Amino acid sequence: MDIPWTDIRHVTKVDPAKPLPDDAGVIADTDLVIVGGSDDVTESNTLEAIQSISRLAPDVPIFQEPYSAEQVSTDTLDAVDYLSVPAVYNGDRDNFVGKHLDLFAEIARKPDELTGSSVPIVGDLITSKGVDAVERLATKLIGEGYVVQHVDSAAAGVSGVETAYTSEQVAGAALATEMFYDFPIFYVEYSGTYGGPEDVKAAARYLDETVLLYGGGIDSAAKTMEILEAGADAVVVGDCYHDDSALYQRTIPGR
């Protein structure tokens, strides 16, 4: 599936460890759903969330954004459009390059000998399907250049982030994402707090082909527009979808 990025301005992040709201169907008004979270996320609750969103919003693309191998299976891969893997620039080595190198080194070594526990990110996928799974995975796996700016958040904890980037460092990470790593997505993540437009402005000037996402503290139409006008391609909204559906709807451009 090709994602129509020029039409995507609003992304909803669904945390599988949290219950969906009573009026969960409002998610049909978003442009893209990312399923993932930092705490208490399993393959089982991830698959349940993906299947629920698919029923509620059958026309909305769905990504899975895993933090560990245990969250991914052949079932979750089959159920989503893409598996988006964060490479956290200001995290520890394992969460930027280590787990990705380990994954592809294992795949290249001997796919038929792999065990699920030895393969970061994809769990039992390679073991169960062998070379065919490698080919299928290649069509769905995309990298995200990622900066986590809220150092006290769960996302920072699981990715080894100890220091937030300055706006100048965010700009450098954005430039590296497009010019060097060639990831299709650059994501500035404030994890429940509102970081304002400065990092977005710094990143946007260096991005042409790469999609710029901003997440964190979006709980009003005014904040949505401030971030979009600063240069983000889309805002990512999470907490208020789970907590306050009426507020969530006001974050959607044009509502």
Side-chain angles (χ1 to χ4, degrees):
M1 178 181 187
D2 291 329
I3 302 300
W5 286 112
T6 56
D7 298 328
I8 292 175
R9 304 179 73 202
H10 187 274
V11 178
T12 302
K13 180 171 280 190
V14 174
D15 188 334
K18 296 181 179 180
L20 297 181
D22 292 338
D23 50 352
V26 296
I27 202 167
D29 293 328
T30 196
D31 301 316
L32 171 70
V33 173
I34 297 175
V35 177
S38 304
D39 293 328
D40 302 318
V41 176
T42 66
E43 184 275 340
S44 178
N45 62 24
T46 295
L47 182 60
E48 182 178 353
I50 293 167
Q51 291 173 336
S52 295
I53 298 305
S54 294
R55 289 192 294 269
L56 293 165
D59 297 325
V60 177
I62 302 176
F63 286 13
Q64 182 184 2
E65 186 181 79
Y67 275 87
S68 71
E70 290 75 19
Q71 298 171 11
V72 185
S73 68
T74 52
D75 289 334
T76 65
L77 185 65
D78 286 341
V80 297
D81 296 293
Y82 286 100
L83 185 71
S84 55
V85 180
V88 183
Y89 287 97
N90 56 334
D92 58 28
R93 180 187 183 278
D94 186 54
N95 282 283
F96 181 72
V97 66
K99 64 186 178 184
H100 310 125
L101 288 176
D102 290 344
L103 165 63
F104 288 104
E106 288 289 286
I107 290 173
R109 185 173 60 84
K110 278 191 177 179
D112 56 334
E113 293 181 2
L114 298 183
T115 61
S117 61
S118 71
V119 183
I121 299 299
V122 295
D124 293 332
L125 175 64
I126 305 303
T127 302
S128 61
K129 297 294 184 180
V131 173
D132 289 344
V134 177
E135 295 175 353
R136 185 154 54 97
L137 178 64
T139 68
K140 289 200 171 187
L141 183 67
I142 60 174
E144 295 178 285
Y146 221 91
V147 175
V148 177
Q149 293 291 73
H150 183 192
V151 297
D152 294 324
S153 66
V158 299
S159 53
V161 173
E162 297 180 351
T163 305
Y165 272 178
T166 65
S167 291
E168 289 79 8
Q169 289 174 309
V170 171
L175 183 61
T177 297
E178 178 152 315
M179 299 295 293
F180 187 74
Y181 294 107
D182 198 29
F183 295 143
I185 297 170
F186 181 65
Y187 193 145
V188 178
E189 172 65 271
Y190 270 85
S191 301
T193 63
Y194 185 62
E198 296 309 313
D199 287 348
V200 173
K201 291 178 182 177
R205 65 181 299 192
Y206 293 109
L207 298 179
D208 185 20
E209 300 297 327
T210 301
V211 173
L212 174 56
L213 304 182
Y214 167 91
I218 299 292
D219 56 9
S220 69
K223 288 179 180 177
T224 292
M225 294 314 300
E226 183 175 46
I227 294 300
L228 293 177
E229 289 171 359
D233 292 288
V235 295
V236 182
V237 179
D239 289 343
C240 70
Y241 171 67
H242 291 280
D243 301 336
D244 189 333
S245 296
L247 190 64
Y248 163 80
Q249 287 180 290
R250 291 198 288 272
T251 69
I252 301 173
R255 293 298 297 246

